[in-house]
Amino acid sequence: MQQIVNFIIRNKTFLLFLLLFSISIFFTVQSHSYHKSKFINSANFLTGGVYNSINNISEYFHLKSQNEILAKENNRLKAILYNSQTKRNTSYIDSVTFNALYKFRTAQVIKNSYNATNNVLLVNRGIKDHIKQDFGVITDKGILGIVDQTSKNYATVLSVLNSKSNISAQLKNSNHFGTLKWDGKSHVYTQLIDIAKNAILKKGDTIITSGRSSIFPKGVLVGTINDFKLDPSENSYIINIKLFNDMANIEHVYIIENVNLPEIKKLLNE
Amino acid sequence: MNNILSIHSIRFFILVFLQVIIFNHINFLGNINPYPYILFLALFPVKNNRTAIIGLSFVLGLCIDFFLDTGGTHAAACLFIAYIRPVILKFCFGTIYEHQTIKFETVEFGSKLTYFTLLTVIHHFVLFSLEIFNISKIILVLQKTLFSGIFTILMCLLITIIFTRKTK
């Protein structure tokens, strides 16, 4: 017994190092698996609060360009609205049919990162605004990511530039689908893997979300094909996609809630 | 003693905040950021016991991890350099370290550069290999270590030169 105590006292630095090092490796491994980084995330009140107050100042510098982006989007939506041939039924019989399948909520990005290997964004909406895990996040130009962890006022978003996120996407002109996976190199491009070999690809083709994951509705824009090659097993294509979004300049986003998500999840788990 | 304590706790908070607010948004050439917060560990007094620096390095790394959503990578990298710091000190400063009379303001430039370089390269290598966590992407790890490392060393040297009291 005496010897064990002596051993611990003699090697206390090394043992402390070993203990803390294994704790940090544990956190690291947890952060590399999907939806597991419960303790270490920036959605807590301290880090969220700090980022919020920094953003309160820095958002003024981007006010003009963000206004232009929003005005452009309004312009596009107005054009769709007034040019549509069929008269849309704008009166709803009751509130049950309104916003039936997908609910949209606006949010503001208060921390953006695009240069790390696993990029996580922070938005200023949380449990208080009924944001939950696995809600989709888009901008006016296209897809952005999936909600990961939430706190009372903030939520973290796994961006498409994250090696953890797997989002189902497809070609716009055919129904060949694959998975979006980022290779960690450039924030302008992302990769679409597992596209069947017989798909007809052309440079500049549009990629949209497939709606299979039930997080995003079908047809959210992702990007255009930049180049493509067969994977090493020669069974499927790996496509390099140029994203529509400028990941470095993002401020106003929309969070999508699929109202039927719990039902779909329950059905799939049975 | 009290003076040293207050200096180092202020330095801790200032470095964490500078890292989060400024240095993480530089994005030089697209994706190169410096991590000069390791200055806290580099300039920690040599005399103090090793348990303190290992505990503090864990707290420092965890603070950065919370802000950057990186899990435990910064904590692990900080712990690693805190643990092997005595070896590096002995290698870089030799006899001055043996006599426990080291003062970072007065050591010559060459050995200080070696000291920062070794610490930074080891820290960045552990950091990026844990962050990427994929042995097949070792080239990417080395590339990031090199570019970010050069930037960090430059920032560390600049900060130490600017904030050193002139001794006559």
Side-chain angles (χ1 to χ4, degrees):
Chain A
M1 190 64 205
Q2 179 103 41
Q3 280 188 336
I4 296 173
V5 173
N6 272 339
F7 173 79
I8 291 174
I9 290 171
R10 210 170 40 226
N11 290 320
K12 69 173 191 296
T13 323
F14 179 69
L15 288 175
L16 180 71
F17 166 72
L18 215 60
L19 174 74
L20 293 178
F21 199 73
S22 42
I23 291 174
S24 41
I25 295 287
F26 170 72
F27 282 143
T28 309
V29 172
Q30 232 182 15
S31 81
H32 280 279
S33 36
Y34 192 62
H35 286 343
K36 279 279 180 61
S37 49
K38 273 207 173 56
F39 307 112
I40 314 289
N41 60 61
S42 59
N44 64 52
F45 80 100
L46 180 71
T47 50
V50 169
Y51 277 125
N52 203 14
S53 43
I54 297 168
N55 188 58
N56 276 343
I57 300 164
S58 61
E59 69 179 332
Y60 287 102
F61 298 110
H62 314 293
L63 219 49
K64 203 172 172 186
S65 63
Q66 290 299 330
N67 271 340
E68 270 165 20
I69 290 170
L70 292 178
K72 255 183 214 160
E73 189 189 4
N74 269 340
N75 186 26
R76 192 170 55 82
L77 294 176
K78 284 243 162 66
I80 294 170
L81 185 67
Y82 293 122
N83 288 331
S84 57
Q85 296 293 324
T86 50
K87 198 77 186 159
R88 274 154 211 259
N89 185 10
T90 46
S91 59
Y92 293 96
I93 300 159
D94 53 29
S95 58
V96 179
T97 48
F98 175 70
N99 252 354
L101 197 51
Y102 293 102
K103 279 185 183 165
F104 286 74
R105 292 185 183 87
T106 59
Q108 219 175 346
V109 172
I110 56 175
K111 174 223 165 195
N112 185 9
S113 95
Y114 52 91
N115 47 29
T117 337
N118 293 310
N119 291 297
V120 179
L121 291 91
L122 191 67
V123 294
N124 64 350
R125 291 275 184 273
I127 295 169
K128 221 172 63 182
D129 311 285
H130 310 289
I131 304 296
K132 294 196 192 82
Q133 205 169 63
D134 276 339
F135 284 9
V137 183
I138 60 169
T139 69
D140 63 315
K141 291 202 197 84
I143 192 169
L144 183 67
I146 296 172
V147 172
D148 186 12
Q149 301 292 333
T150 49
S151 70
K152 197 175 155 214
N153 292 311
Y154 307 100
T156 57
V157 177
L158 285 184
S159 123
V160 282
L161 305 181
N162 190 315
S163 55
K164 271 188 283 176
S165 64
N166 296 315
I167 296 166
S168 181
Q170 68 168 62
L171 297 168
K172 198 181 179 185
N173 49 15
S174 68
N175 271 329
H176 294 286
F177 65 97
T179 312
L180 284 178
K181 266 253 177 227
W182 189 47
D183 65 354
K185 280 174 189 148
S186 163
H187 67 269
V188 183
Y189 300 101
T190 183
Q191 280 67 38
L192 182 62
I193 57 169
D194 293 340
I195 285 278
K197 202 180 169 184
N198 56 353
I200 299 157
L201 303 174
K202 238 186 282 167
K203 212 172 155 179
D205 276 2
T206 309
I207 306 287
I208 57 174
T209 56
S210 68
R212 276 182 183 78
S213 58
S214 68
I215 291 172
F216 293 99
K218 187 175 174 172
V220 176
L221 295 172
V222 178
T224 53
I225 296 179
N226 193 57
D227 53 54
F228 52 87
K229 61 171 192 284
L230 282 171
D231 74 340
S233 64
E234 304 223 323
N235 281 324
S236 55
Y237 280 116
I238 299 174
I239 306 177
N240 213 5
I241 300 173
K242 191 171 195 300
L243 289 166
F244 284 125
N245 261 330
D246 176 8
M247 297 302 285
N249 178 22
I250 285 169
E251 181 131 17
H252 296 279
V253 297
Y254 304 97
I255 300 177
I256 308 175
E257 175 186 359
N258 186 347
V259 180
N260 296 331
L261 188 64
E263 197 182 325
I264 295 168
K265 264 190 178 168
K266 198 175 153 236
L267 197 65
L268 287 176
N269 287 339
E270 266 168 15
Chain B
M1 188 60 210
N2 231 343
N3 192 21
I4 291 174
L5 197 71
S6 58
I7 283 179
H8 284 276
S9 38
I10 290 169
R11 189 182 278 165
F12 183 96
F13 287 112
I14 287 181
L15 280 173
V16 169
F17 272 86
L18 281 182
Q19 179 66 46
V20 171
I21 295 169
I22 298 172
F23 293 122
N24 244 70
H25 300 281
I26 290 182
N27 298 328
F28 182 63
L29 295 181
N31 58 357
I32 304 169
N33 279 335
Y35 295 98
Y37 72 93
I38 58 167
L39 260 181
F40 175 77
L41 299 175
L43 300 182
F44 201 75
V46 179
K47 276 180 281 216
N48 283 41
N49 57 348
R50 289 181 67 192
T51 324
I53 187 174
I54 284 180
L56 277 172
S57 68
F58 183 67
V59 176
L60 174 72
L62 219 55
C63 279
I64 301 285
D65 278 330
F66 265 113
F67 277 103
L68 305 187
D69 288 292
T70 42
T73 48
H74 283 272
C78 283
L79 269 172
F80 198 72
I81 56 165
Y83 185 69
I84 60 162
R85 198 176 79 131
V87 184
I88 298 172
L89 277 170
K90 202 184 241 171
F91 175 76
C92 296
F93 300 113
T95 50
I96 318 173
Y97 171 64
E98 307 267 305
H99 295 300
Q100 302 271 314
T101 53
I102 195 161
K103 271 216 171 73
F104 288 109
E105 294 100 45
T106 52
V107 291
E108 56 183 292
F109 184 76
S111 46
K112 199 157 88 175
L113 182 65
T114 335
Y115 176 57
F116 282 156
T117 310
L118 277 175
L119 276 186
T120 309
V121 167
I122 293 168
H123 174 269
H124 283 30
F125 183 70
V126 175
L127 174 70
F128 288 123
S129 41
L130 282 179
E131 190 184 301
I132 291 168
F133 219 58
N134 192 343
I135 199 82
S136 61
K137 287 184 182 167
I138 188 81
I139 300 292
L140 188 67
V141 174
L142 293 174
Q143 195 187 344
K144 279 196 156 192
T145 307
L146 178 71
F147 293 145
S148 247
I150 293 169
F151 206 173
T152 307
I153 294 162
L154 279 177
M155 289 311 300
C156 284
L157 285 176
L158 274 179
I159 291 171
T160 47
I161 289 168
I162 291 169
F163 290 100
T164 312
R165 272 183 237 99
K166 289 251 160 46
T167 45
K168 284 179 185 171

